[in-house]
Amino acid sequence: MKSKSGIGKALVMITQLSINMLVPIFLSLFIGIWLDSRLGTGWLTLVFLLFGIMAAIRSMFITLRPLLKGEREEKDEAFQKQFDEQYNEPPEDSE
């Protein structure tokens, strides 16, 4: 049962990442195309597309930060536990 929950969480994360990347890119692309057609320019589409790509990358990092932070903390705790077991002697009883 636990593996199904993990698969579900992974699918949700993949879906969320894809939406977080596609929406800013396409929205900024369409805004650039619309502005180019209204203003008669040809370079705003590229500018807005680059802004959309940067916004998508930022959104991806914001979405993944808690996940990556949690994994790093787990590894740090495991390392600290292993270090303590290896190099620290157990306290002696003072009785």
Side-chain angles (χ1 to χ4, degrees), residues 24-81:
I25 291 172
F26 283 114
L27 186 63
S28 62
L29 179 67
F30 291 132
I31 290 172
I33 291 170
W34 181 77
L35 283 174
D36 276 340
S37 68
R38 298 287 271 174
L39 300 174
T41 58
W43 52 273
L44 286 175
T45 301
L46 180 62
V47 171
F48 275 86
L49 180 62
L50 291 175
F51 282 140
I53 291 170
M54 288 188 296
I57 291 171
R58 180 181 179 273
S59 177
M60 184 182 66
F61 282 127
I62 289 172
T63 303
L64 289 176
R65 184 179 298 158
L67 178 67
L68 297 175
K69 184 178 180 184
E71 287 181 8
R72 183 174 29 167
E73 288 175 354
E74 289 175 5
K75 289 180 182 179
D76 289 346
E77 289 174 5
F79 175 79
Q80 185 65 40
K81 183 178 178 183

Side-chain angles (χ1 to χ4, degrees), residues 8-25:
K9 286 181 182 181
L11 288 174
V12 167
M13 181 63 75
I14 290 170
T15 304
Q16 184 177 4
L17 284 175
S18 62
I19 290 171
N20 284 348
M21 289 186 68
L22 292 176
V23 169
I25 291 172

